């Protein structure tokens, strides 16, 4: 048993919720509050997040497409509860699940994820042998926290992958969060404080947002964590500037999209 799990209750409400859901001992709903610059709320009400987001094997189209494209040795980055790793294992792929949360790692172990890596992706020394596929899903670009984080990750990840390998990453292009319907999509956007970052790329206007999320569970709130929402143009711009070539494989009208990047 991992020490952090033994020291019940956990300090992080999101980890506590995942642990309780995994054990079948839920104590109310997980709420997700969204804030912008200077702590200004981006939605009138918090989003109620379902355990299904983290434990179901029924995937959104963008994630299902990404798993179908996986090949060779796969690194599932920010693997969480092992939702994607387990599906890849069932398909016979060799997959390693990377996460920095001891709670997530314990849950994955108990759910049957065979290869687990306890590491922060920005401080990990990297694999002994490069992977064929890097996987970053559930609005995976969000895990990078900012455009600076995106750039750092792209530079580091080049050393984790075979010359013929691929990076599969999804994100969502957001409109103004005040517009009707955006707050209802927060659950889908979950998978680290910055304002909206407008960028003009090749004559067209692109927009990137960093949203501060605060998780609340069983009456306790956690610390804010920034989550990056990057539009396709900006993602490809940063990819090309950091040694990758890329293409958008799929995009929904609501803004969710899947990108495939390969080393130059």
């Amino acid at each position: 048993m991992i020490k952090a799990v033994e020291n019940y209750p956990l300090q992080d409400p999101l980890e506590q919720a995942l642990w309780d859901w995994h054990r079948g001992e839920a104590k109310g709903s997980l709420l997700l509050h969204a804030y912008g610059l200077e702590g200004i709320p981006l939605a009138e009400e918090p989003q109620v997040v379902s355990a299904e987001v983290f434990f179901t094997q029924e995937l959104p189209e963008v994630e299902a497409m990404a798993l179908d494209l996986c090949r060779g040795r796969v690194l599932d980055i920010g693997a969480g509860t092992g939702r994607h790793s387990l599906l890849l294992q069932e398909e016979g792929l060799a997959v390693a699940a990377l996460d920095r949360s001891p709670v997530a790692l314990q849950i994955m172990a108990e759910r049957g994820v065979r290869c687990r890596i306890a590491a922060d992706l920005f401080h990990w020394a990297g694999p002994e042998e490069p992977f064929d596929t890097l996987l970053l899903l559930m609005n995976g670009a969000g895990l990078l926290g900012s455009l600076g984080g995106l750039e750092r990750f792209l530079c580091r990840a080049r050393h984790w992958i075979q010359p013929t390998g691929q990076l599969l990453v999804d994100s969502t292009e957001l409109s103004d969060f005040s517009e009707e319907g955006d707050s209802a999509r927060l659950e889908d956007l979950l998978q680290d404080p910055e304002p909206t970052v407008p960028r003009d790329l090749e004559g067209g206007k692109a927009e990137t947002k960093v949203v501060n999320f605060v998780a609340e569970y069983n009456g306790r709130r956690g610390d804010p964590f920034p989550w990056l929402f990057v539009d396709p143009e900006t993602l490809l711009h940063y990819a090309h500037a950091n040694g990758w070539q890329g293409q958008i494989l799929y995009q929904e009208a609501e803004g969710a999209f899947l990108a495939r990047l390969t080393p130059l």
Side-chain angles (χ1 to χ4, degrees):
M1 180 68 69
I2 293 177
K3 183 177 181 181
V5 176
E6 289 178 335
N7 291 339
Y8 185 93
L10 302 172
Q11 295 300 310
D12 181 74
L14 176 55
E15 289 185 322
Q16 186 70 69
L18 292 177
W19 184 247
D20 288 350
W21 280 337
H22 171 60
R23 292 293 191 180
E25 301 172 353
K27 299 175 178 64
S29 300
L30 174 67
L31 304 178
L32 194 64
H33 303 265
Y35 297 91
L37 186 64
E38 298 177 348
I40 300 172
L42 296 177
E44 293 184 1
E45 298 292 335
Q47 176 67 46
V48 179
V49 182
S50 167
E52 293 297 303
V53 173
F54 303 97
F55 291 95
T56 184
Q57 291 193 330
E58 296 183 8
L59 302 179
E61 184 67 25
V62 66
E63 295 177 25
M65 179 178 292
L67 294 196
D68 286 341
L69 292 169
C70 287
R71 63 172 189 264
R73 297 177 62 250
V74 181
L75 178 65
D76 184 6
I77 302 170
T81 58
R83 182 184 181 199
H84 302 113
S85 295
L86 287 169
L87 289 170
L88 292 172
Q89 278 185 190
E90 291 177 4
E91 295 297 318
L93 291 175
V95 55
L98 184 148
D99 206 287
R100 69 180 184 179
S101 166
V103 176
L105 292 160
Q106 180 68 26
I107 291 173
M108 284 193 283
E110 295 187 8
R111 297 186 74 202
V113 177
R114 291 189 288 268
C115 181
R116 303 171 306 280
I117 300 173
D120 183 305
L121 67 90
F122 290 117
H123 298 96
W124 184 41
E128 295 182 1
E129 179 183 349
F131 289 91
D132 300 290
T133 300
L134 305 181
L135 198 62
L136 200 56
L137 293 183
M138 289 187 72
N139 272 277
L143 191 65
L144 308 177
S146 67
L147 290 175
L150 171 62
E151 189 164 37
R152 287 175 59 203
F153 170 73
L154 290 171
C155 291
R156 292 175 59 82
R158 290 258 299 151
H159 302 287
W160 304 347
I161 195 171
Q162 298 280 6
T164 56
Q166 60 179 346
L167 165 60
L168 300 170
V169 56
D170 69 336
S171 189
T172 300
E173 181 176 11
L174 294 185
S175 57
D176 188 335
F177 240 88
S178 64
E179 292 182 8
E180 182 179 357
D182 276 334
S183 61
R185 289 161 48 211
L186 286 181
E187 179 173 345
D188 296 330
L189 302 180
L190 177 62
Q191 208 265 284
D192 270 314
E194 286 187 6
T196 297
V197 183
R199 300 187 60 84
D200 291 311
L201 302 176
E202 298 180 0
K205 185 177 181 181
E207 192 172 278
T208 293
K209 294 179 184 289
V210 177
V211 176
N212 277 325
F213 285 117
V214 174
E216 179 181 352
Y217 174 70
N218 197 24
R220 296 175 60 245
R221 289 196 182 198
D223 296 328
F225 57 95
W227 206 257
L228 174 67
F229 296 95
V230 61
D231 58 90
E233 293 85 358
T234 302
L235 177 62
L236 294 181
H237 171 80
Y238 273 76
H240 295 158
N242 290 279
W244 301 80
Q245 57 186 347
Q247 59 185 140
I248 304 303
L249 300 178
Y250 175 80
Q251 185 164 15
E252 298 176 349
E254 295 81 3
F257 68 92
L258 175 66
R260 179 177 183 266
L261 308 181
T262 55
L264 287 171

